[in-house]
Amino acid sequence: MILTNPTSIDLDIGAIRQQFPILNRIVKNKPLVYFDNAATTQKPQSVIDAISHYYSNYNANIHRGVHSLAEEATAAYEASRIAVQQFIGAAFSEEVIFTTGTTEGINLVAYAWGRANIVAGDEILISGMEHHSNIVPWQILCNEKNAILKVIPVLDNGELSLIDYHNLLGPKTKMVAIVQVSNALGTVNPVKSIIKAAHQVGAVVLIDGAQSAVHLDIDVQDMDCDFFVFSGHKLYGPTGIGILYGKKNILESMPVFQGGGEMIKEVTFERTTYNELPYKYEAGTPNIAGAIALKAALDFLNDLGKDNIRKHEAALLKYATAQLEIIPGLTIIGKAREKVSLVSFIIKGVHPQDIGVLLDNQGIAVRTGHHCTQPLMERFDIAGTVRASFAVYNTLAEIDVLIAGLWKALKMLS
Ligand code: 7TS
């Protein structure tokens, strides 16, 4: 089930901007131009209000109390789980586990699934464009188990080499962990065919949806991934809340991750029996306010309609790409045929950090550096890039500000 608006309409970006109080900020005496959305998006008033409303009116611990506030908090928390289930098209709400974010979701799978299923000589396949969060947990697992980490190469245009992928797959491949959308390049990977091929050799697939969940329609059943992880803060929700989706049979068969409250059924000093899904993986008091506010973020996205958002963001990407390419010495890193609204670039003879600082002086927030993808930067033989990543509230006029800001920065550096 995909909850998006089937008809494409032109969004009223002015009205959308008014929902984001932070967009009124003045930074360095200039109106803020926020182009660091791939790191974290800004939050609409409805998300801010959901957090404040929870703490002001029904703050209580969940699943434990019989009192009214506890019941209200539990109901809101569980309503958010259902909203996430619908947002990603999961078959069962208990397949939706609240985590602190993408990073924790991947670590949970690497720890719980990995330690039960990986033995010496097994192979784990990732790609050359993974965020460190989808590299390091697998490295730790491989080191512990004497398993082998293999990497799908990235082509010059920023797409994955699918020929190499198929050659790397084999009977020893036990896990394929792939990013759906690259945070450094914007590349959209063809995950459906990647998953199908992995399943043909009996491998389990984890999809890192940190960057994709906000831009693409997510249907985990259609995709047929075994695990899907994402973070609330990259889709207009709060920090400290994220989702691990896992197929029910796999989550049920996995050992537990963290021990503690909520994940138990019965504890004696001799032994503990564990709670059922999804609570089995939700040890300790979770980020209740964050989970509740995540629903407000999903409502915001659903109300606008991802089709409409994509249409607007595609226009931003097209315009930004064309304008950037005019700048002498500028090279865009990542020119995949399918991209989200994100441009990474370098300028000959100029350090990305210097550009970042000079743009910040003009109130323009971009990300500079390796974007937690150091091996990818090495692949392109660069130290880092300048990255401008767009959200629904960004405008063509703001891209003009960025381009003018870049010209100014280059003049100062020359
Ligand atoms: N995977 C991808 C593809 C990401 O882009 C990020 C964060 C993560 C995993 C980790 O997400 P977290 O919410 O657990 O931190 N990416 C970025 C970025 O591009 N700039 O800052 C964080």
Side-chain angles (χ1 to χ4, degrees):
M1 193 187 342
I2 300 171
L3 291 181
T4 49
N5 191 341
T7 51
S8 169
I9 54 156
D10 285 328
L11 296 171
D12 181 348
I13 305 302
I16 292 169
R17 287 181 70 83
Q18 280 176 11
Q19 296 182 47
F20 289 80
I22 208 168
L23 297 180
N24 295 320
R25 270 285 313 259
I26 300 295
V27 174
K28 308 271 167 76
N29 291 322
K30 295 272 164 49
L32 167 69
V33 171
Y34 187 78
F35 283 159
D36 196 15
N37 294 288
T40 198
T41 54
Q42 299 302 346
K43 318 305 171 200
Q45 191 64 51
S46 59
V47 168
I48 300 166
D49 287 348
I51 297 169
S52 164
H53 184 68
Y54 164 72
Y55 283 122
S56 307
N57 292 284
Y58 61 104
N59 171 49
N61 212 329
I62 52 167
H63 297 134
R64 298 157 197 211
V66 290
H67 60 80
S68 298
L69 298 192
E71 275 178 17
E72 285 172 33
T74 304
Y77 182 81
E78 291 303 328
S80 181
R81 196 189 305 278
I82 304 284
V84 174
Q85 178 198 353
Q86 292 172 343
F87 184 73
I88 62 171
F92 307 100
S93 63
E94 58 267 37
E95 294 179 323
V96 174
I97 315 285
F98 284 114
T99 63
T100 59
T102 304
T103 302
E104 190 183 50
I106 299 169
N107 276 278
L108 191 160
V109 175
Y111 188 93
W113 179 89
R115 273 156 192 80
N117 289 283
I118 295 295
V119 297
D122 281 349
E123 292 174 4
I124 292 171
L125 196 46
I126 61 171
S127 88
M129 62 174 82
E130 298 309 316
H131 187 278
H132 296 163
S133 293
N134 201 28
I135 301 173
V136 184
W138 304 115
Q139 250 168 4
I140 295 170
L141 177 66
C142 286
N143 287 342
E144 255 180 53
K145 297 283 187 179
N146 269 326
I148 300 150
L149 191 67
K150 293 203 159 177
V151 184
I152 308 161
V154 177
L155 301 170
D156 288 343
N157 70 352
E159 294 180 8
L160 284 182
S161 168
L162 294 175
I163 295 171
D164 283 309
Y165 170 57
H166 288 280
N167 289 336
L168 285 164
L169 276 177
K172 287 189 175 165
T173 315
K174 293 291 150 58
M175 165 62 77
V176 176
I178 297 283
V179 73
Q180 186 169 16
V181 167
S182 159
N183 67 316
L185 307 171
T187 309
V188 178
N189 288 320
V191 289
K192 202 170 164 182
S193 63
I194 286 173
I195 293 164
K196 196 171 170 200
H199 285 165
Q200 276 163 2
V201 299
V204 164
V205 184
L206 176 142
I207 299 297
D208 174 350
Q211 297 294 337
S212 60
V214 66
H215 298 293
L216 309 181
D217 295 328
I218 306 299
D219 185 333
V220 289
Q221 288 186 79
D222 179 58
M223 206 190 284
D224 199 25
C225 55
D226 300 292
F227 298 106
F228 186 87
V229 288
F230 65 99
S231 301
H233 70 96
K234 291 184 197 284
L235 41 72
Y236 308 103
T239 55
I241 190 78
I243 299 297
L244 162 66
Y245 157 84
K247 279 184 185 162
K248 196 173 166 183
N249 61 329
I250 301 181
L251 287 175
E252 273 170 349
S253 68
M254 270 160 56
V256 295
F257 176 45
Q258 292 178 328
E262 204 54 52
M263 56 75 76
I264 61 98
K265 192 168 267 167
E266 212 170 271
V267 179
T268 66
F269 284 120
E270 287 69 42
R271 63 187 284 270
T272 296
T273 51
Y274 301 120
N275 207 339
E276 57 210 24
L277 290 177
Y279 315 110
K280 175 180 170 185
Y281 295 107
E282 292 181 3
T285 301
N287 180 357
I288 303 165
I292 291 168
L294 178 60
K295 180 175 181 304
L298 300 184
D299 289 345
F300 168 80
L301 272 169
N302 290 332
D303 286 350
L304 295 181
K306 275 193 184 164
D307 281 349
N308 303 322
I309 296 174
R310 263 199 303 276
K311 191 175 144 201
H312 174 63
E313 290 178 346
L316 295 173
L317 176 66
K318 194 172 167 199
Y319 185 62
T321 304
Q323 294 298 308
L324 285 168
E325 279 179 334
I326 297 169
I327 294 175
L330 187 147
T331 306
I332 291 177
I333 306 293
K335 299 190 114 187
R337 284 163 292 180
E338 245 198 284
K339 274 182 73 170
V340 299
S341 53
L342 175 167
V343 211
S344 246
F345 60 88
I346 51 170
I347 299 177
K348 204 169 177 205
V350 187
H351 198 282
Q353 178 113 4
D354 294 338
I355 297 174
V357 171
L358 290 170
L359 289 177
D360 180 58
N361 284 339
Q362 303 173 64
I364 306 162
V366 293
R367 181 81 167 207
T368 61
H370 54 63
H371 316 295
C372 294
T373 57
Q374 281 182 357
L376 181 67
M377 296 297 114
E378 203 167 303
R379 150 71 181 84
F380 283 98
D381 203 16
I382 52 180
T385 71
V386 180
R387 182 187 71 185
S389 50
F390 311 119
V392 65
Y393 42 66
N394 290 129
T395 63
L396 296 175
E398 286 182 306
I399 291 171
D400 287 338
V401 174
L402 169 70
I403 301 299
L406 272 173
W407 281 107
K408 198 171 162 190
L410 290 176
K411 219 173 185 177
M412 289 177 79
L413 288 167
S414 65

